[in-house]
């Protein structure tokens, strides 16, 4: 027993088993008393029950161990500690994975080696420590350097760690490698910039088409007309006919250019999507058509309450083209019928415009929506072959589909979804 | 000096000939002064460059937009910025009907915007109407040098 005592003092903790069978922890402070000859004679001491404290310590250690294992095993985040001066005090697997240093290499090193030389020269590591100490927390995205010298785009969060009395004991750092995201963002920005340039070029091109291609046409038409007027008596009927053909061709090309421009305009600009009353729109277009030739015997049957979410301006262009076609291709019928309605198609609503006019051969259905494609001779039914191409572009911009059914002399039906 | 002339700002000789023809067909007999680019138009109006000391105020300006050196919109801006030409009637007569040009043209104070049609018959009619309006019906603004 005396062997336990150093300088006749004993301070220790141990367990007792109580009468109820449960163990209690005690803190023992004891002193060995000796007689005049120095022989131990008795022990005087006190016990304090410290069972609660001992249990709390055990659970704290277990918690710390779990946390250490957790932090240690995280691979996607570098989680490590710095001392108040910025020297690395702990290191996890994620830190090794992201920055390339092993724990043995980096412990005790200054964290400024993770910064780029420019940032070190600019005093950014010291500034980060100051900002964190002052504000408690500091966050930034910036370039950092790996052990092999390569750079990565890092998201860094630094937190000041203080003791019970508020004294700074160090910093906790969490760093993520966002290089891939950064690269994807840069690629996206570069695509967007390229797209903008392409759009600008397209606009410049449209402008040039609108201005420069029309100018020579005015000369062709104007001087042909001047010849017809000023040299009328020196031209025979054939000569005058030729000049009329030149004029007609110039004017047709003028119309083509205008139609092409409106086709390209359809794909420019943002879609202004809102609830659109297609019934009202179709009725307005039908009224315009009837006004253009009040003599025509044609009836429009427009289903009520056809409402869709779409761009109203573009839907008007769609209906102008589809109803305009129906009007045109029923021109040889003594009495024509045009129907506007809706039906179910593959679980979606398909709107349709149906006429009982000239129709078309289904063998050519695929050609209908191509630019400049025409299924009828210009002499029979005039047109530039751009209307349905325009319709298709508008419907595709809305994420819908457009198709047609018909038979020669049995009418045509054009369907579209939105 | 001022007169009853029309300043035609037009770089294309074909368009110039056709515009002269359309004016003649409508019996518009005002003198036609042609400027072949924007700089020439400004020199003529403000008496600068080759026209030093001979500033002239026409009855009407017919202005093309796409011009060498100084473009039509810039010519219009300078006309409106100068007190002596601030109120001068300017009709934009051009090929383009790009919305951007129309909006900018009116924004800079154009009095009309007319797109030259391909069909010469329609062009003659357009010139007839604008001549009737600007040279006959319209009461012109007081001339700064007469006021």
């Amino acid at each position: 027993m005396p062997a336990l005592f150093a300088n006749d003092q004993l301070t220790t903790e141990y367990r007792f088993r109580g009468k109820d069978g449960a163990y209690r922890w005690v803190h023992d402070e004891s002193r060995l008393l000796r007689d005049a000859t120095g022989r131990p004679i008795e022990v005087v001491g006190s016990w304090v029950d410290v069972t609660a404290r001992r249990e709390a310590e055990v659970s704290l250690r277990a918690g710390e161990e779990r946390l250490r294992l957790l932090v240690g095993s995280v691979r996607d985040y570098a989680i490590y500690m710095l001392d108040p001066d910025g020297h690395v005090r702990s290191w996890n697997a994620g830190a090794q994975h992201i920055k390339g240093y092993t724990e043995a290499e980096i412990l005790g090193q200054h964290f400024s080696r993770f910064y780029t030389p420019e940032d070190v020269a600019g005093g950014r590591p010291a500034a980060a420590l100051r900002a964190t100490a002052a504000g408690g927390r500091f966050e930034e995205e910036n370039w950092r350097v790996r052990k092999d010298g390569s750079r990565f785009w890092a998201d860094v969060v630094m937190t000041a760690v203080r003791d019970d009395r508020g004294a700074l004991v160090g910093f906790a750092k969490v760093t993520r490698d966002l290089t891939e995201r950064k690269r994807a963002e840069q690629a996206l920005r570069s695509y967007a910039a390229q797209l903008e340039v392409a759009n600008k070029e397209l606009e410049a091109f449209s402008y040039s088409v609108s201005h420069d291609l029309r100018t020579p046409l005015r000369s062709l038409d104007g001087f042909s007309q001047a010849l017809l007027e000023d040299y009328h008596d020196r031209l025979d009927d054939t000569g005058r006919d030729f000049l009329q053909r030149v004029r007609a061709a110039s004017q047709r090309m003028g119309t083509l250019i205008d139609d092409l421009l409106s086709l390209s305009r359809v794909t420019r600009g943002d879609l202004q999507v809102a609830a659109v009353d297609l019934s009202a729109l179709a009725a307005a277009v039908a009224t315009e058509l009837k006004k253009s030739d009040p003599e025509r015997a044609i009836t429009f049957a427009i289903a009520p309450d056809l409402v869709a979410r779409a761009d109203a301006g573009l839907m008007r262009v769609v209906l102008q083209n589809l109803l305009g076609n129906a009007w045109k291709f029923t021109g040889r019928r003594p009495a024509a019928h045009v129907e506007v309605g809706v039906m179910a198609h593959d679980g979606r609503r398909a709107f349709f415009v149906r006429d009982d006019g000239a129709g078309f051969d289904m063998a050519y259905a695929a050609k209908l929506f191509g630019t400049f494609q025409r299924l009828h001779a210009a002499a029979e039914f005039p047109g530039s072959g751009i209307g349905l191409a325009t319709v298709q572009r508008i419907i595709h911009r809305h994420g819908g589909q457009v198709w047609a059914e018909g038979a020669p002399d049995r009418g045509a039906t054009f369907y579209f979804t939105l | 000096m001022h007169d009853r002339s029309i300043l035609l700002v037009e770089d294309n000789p074909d368009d110039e000939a056709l515009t002269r023809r359309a004016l003649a067909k409508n019996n518009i007999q005002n003198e036609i002064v042609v400027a072949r680019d924007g700089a020439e138009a400004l020199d003529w109006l403000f008496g600068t460059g080759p026209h030093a000391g001979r500033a002239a105020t026409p009855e009407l300006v017919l202005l093309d937009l796409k011009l060498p050196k100084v473009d039509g919109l810039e010519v219009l801006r300078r006309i409106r910025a100068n007190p002596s030409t601030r109120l001068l009637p300017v009709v934009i007569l051009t090929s383009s009907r790009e919305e951007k040009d129309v909006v900018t043209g009116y924004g800079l104070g154009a009095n009309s915007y007319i797109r030259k049609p391909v069909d010469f018959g329609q062009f003659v009619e357009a010139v007839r109407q604008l001549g009737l309006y600007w040279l006959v019906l319209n009461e012109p603004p007081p001339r700064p040098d007469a006021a």
Side-chain angles (χ1 to χ4, degrees):
Chain A
M1 179 102 177
L4 288 171
F5 290 77
N7 297 328
D8 297 349
Q9 297 280 341
L10 174 71
T11 301
T12 187
E13 288 182 7
Y14 45 84
R15 293 186 301 169
F16 270 118
R17 199 170 127 166
K19 190 179 170 190
D20 59 358
Y23 288 95
R24 315 287 310 167
W25 278 95
V26 293
H27 181 87
D28 179 347
E29 293 274 356
S30 297
R31 207 171 149 205
L32 188 65
L33 300 181
R34 297 174 186 270
D35 62 15
T37 64
R39 215 165 43 89
I41 48 173
E42 59 180 354
V43 173
V44 180
S46 68
W47 289 340
V48 179
D49 184 341
V50 293
T51 309
R53 200 196 80 211
R54 291 294 295 212
E55 281 171 357
E57 279 172 9
V58 167
S59 95
L60 191 66
R61 264 201 299 281
E64 279 175 349
E65 180 63 11
R66 276 200 298 274
L67 190 64
R68 202 183 59 77
L69 284 170
L70 187 69
V71 167
S73 63
V74 167
R75 258 178 78 78
D76 294 335
Y77 290 80
I79 304 171
Y80 55 103
M81 298 287 298
L82 303 178
D83 69 15
D85 298 324
H87 297 98
V88 177
R89 284 287 168 248
S90 76
W91 203 239
N92 77 334
Q96 177 167 348
H97 175 65
I98 291 173
K99 294 176 190 277
Y101 299 94
T102 63
E103 186 172 8
E105 285 171 330
I106 203 67
L107 286 184
Q109 300 290 332
H110 197 259
F111 86 120
S112 59
R113 67 171 51 218
F114 306 139
Y115 283 73
T116 63
E118 316 78 278
D119 283 351
V120 173
R124 288 185 73 98
L129 291 185
R130 277 199 304 276
T132 315
R137 184 186 154 90
F138 174 79
E139 186 163 2
E140 73 166 341
E141 280 194 20
N142 212 331
W143 292 106
R144 290 289 189 269
V145 182
R146 297 191 187 93
K147 183 188 173 189
D148 64 9
S150 60
R151 294 185 176 200
F152 66 100
W153 184 256
D155 172 74
V156 180
V157 180
M158 259 174 107
T159 311
V161 181
R162 295 180 181 278
D163 65 15
D164 297 343
R165 287 162 315 201
L168 186 69
V169 296
F171 301 96
K173 280 199 82 174
V174 179
T175 301
R176 257 191 313 166
D177 180 349
L178 296 181
T179 312
E180 280 310 310
R181 202 186 75 185
K182 178 82 174 166
R183 222 170 257 154
E185 279 173 7
Q186 276 171 342
L188 211 59
R189 263 201 295 278
S190 138
Y191 292 145
Q194 282 171 16
L195 199 63
E196 199 168 314
V197 169
N199 271 335
K200 286 239 165 68
E201 278 172 5
L202 191 67
E203 274 191 33
F205 176 74
S206 301
Y207 183 84
S208 168
V209 165
S210 134
H211 194 283
D212 299 340
L213 287 193
R214 286 170 51 87
T215 303
L217 294 177
R218 282 202 307 278
S219 298
L220 287 177
D221 188 81
F223 290 113
S224 303
Q225 179 63 22
L227 269 177
L228 283 170
E229 287 168 5
D230 297 359
Y231 298 84
H232 189 266
D233 48 354
R234 289 190 240 171
L235 290 166
D236 60 11
D237 283 350
T238 312
R240 287 191 287 273
D241 176 52
F242 287 172
L243 283 173
Q244 287 297 359
R245 286 169 189 265
V246 171
R247 290 199 67 200
S250 317
Q251 289 168 25
R252 203 157 55 241
M253 184 149 173
T255 310
L256 275 178
I257 290 170
D258 287 348
D259 287 354
L260 263 184
L261 282 175
S262 53
L263 176 64
S264 86
R265 220 166 273 140
V266 155
T267 39
R268 285 193 265 158
D270 293 328
L271 283 186
Q272 307 286 330
V273 175
V276 178
D277 185 346
L278 296 176
S279 303
L281 218 48
V285 172
T287 306
E288 281 168 29
L289 288 167
K290 283 188 210 158
K291 226 184 272 172
S292 73
D293 185 359
E295 304 298 310
R296 286 274 310 269
I298 183 163
T299 54
F300 287 92
I302 299 168
D305 305 324
L306 302 178
V307 177
R309 288 194 61 77
D311 183 301
L314 292 180
M315 289 323 292
R316 171 176 277 273
V317 175
V318 165
L319 289 171
Q320 276 169 341
N321 274 294
L322 293 182
L323 290 171
N325 277 352
W327 175 270
K328 184 162 71 180
F329 291 108
T330 53
R332 303 191 163 197
R333 292 278 184 273
H337 301 87
V338 176
E339 188 187 349
V340 180
V342 67
M343 57 174 283
H345 175 82
D346 285 350
R348 295 177 78 174
R349 286 193 307 161
F351 300 96
F352 64 84
V353 174
R354 176 172 294 140
D355 68 59
D356 54 0
F360 63 91
D361 186 338
M362 282 298 278
Y364 304 118
K367 290 184 106 181
L368 277 175
F369 297 97
T371 311
F372 293 128
Q373 294 288 348
R374 307 201 63 243
L375 297 185
H376 299 272
E380 197 181 0
F381 296 105
S384 58
I386 288 176
L388 287 177
T390 304
V391 168
Q392 188 179 47
R393 277 208 194 179
I394 293 173
I395 298 303
H396 284 176
R397 277 202 77 186
H398 282 82
Q401 285 174 301
V402 58
W403 67 98
E405 285 171 2
D409 287 322
R410 308 255 303 269
T413 307
F414 287 85
Y415 301 88
F416 63 91
T417 58
L418 289 168
Chain B
M1 106 171 204
H2 65 83
D3 48 42
R4 300 261 310 156
S5 64
I6 295 170
L7 175 62
L8 174 64
V9 191
E10 173 63 74
D11 64 317
N12 182 326
D14 282 3
D15 272 349
E16 178 197 331
L18 292 172
T19 306
R20 283 180 185 279
R21 185 176 174 88
L23 288 165
K25 281 178 102 50
N26 286 302
N27 294 317
I28 296 170
Q29 285 157 6
N30 305 51
E31 186 200 352
I32 316 283
V33 178
V34 179
R36 299 198 188 285
D37 60 57
E40 203 180 316
L42 292 171
D43 279 342
W44 192 81
L45 285 168
F46 299 136
T48 51
H51 295 274
R54 286 177 291 143
T57 308
E59 184 91 356
L60 176 69
V61 178
L62 299 179
L63 182 64
D64 193 7
L65 289 187
K66 214 177 167 193
L67 295 167
K69 297 184 192 171
V70 179
D71 75 26
L73 291 172
E74 176 61 16
V75 170
L76 177 58
R77 201 185 61 73
R78 304 259 287 267
I79 286 175
R80 289 293 176 253
N82 192 306
S84 71
T85 51
R86 195 167 57 85
L87 301 173
L88 186 59
V90 175
V91 173
I92 293 176
L93 192 60
T94 186
S95 288
S96 151
R97 64 166 173 208
E98 283 287 301
E99 196 182 315
K100 190 180 66 188
D101 280 347
V102 180
V103 170
T104 313
Y106 278 119
L108 289 174
N111 297 86
S112 294
Y113 190 110
I114 291 167
R115 188 202 192 202
K116 293 182 230 176
V118 167
D119 184 333
F120 186 68
Q122 288 176 24
F123 184 54
V124 171
E125 175 58 19
V127 169
R128 186 187 72 76
Q129 290 189 28
L130 80 87
L132 178 68
Y133 184 81
W134 288 109
L135 303 173
V136 181
L137 294 177
N138 185 55
E139 192 63 42
R143 287 169 178 271
D145 45 356

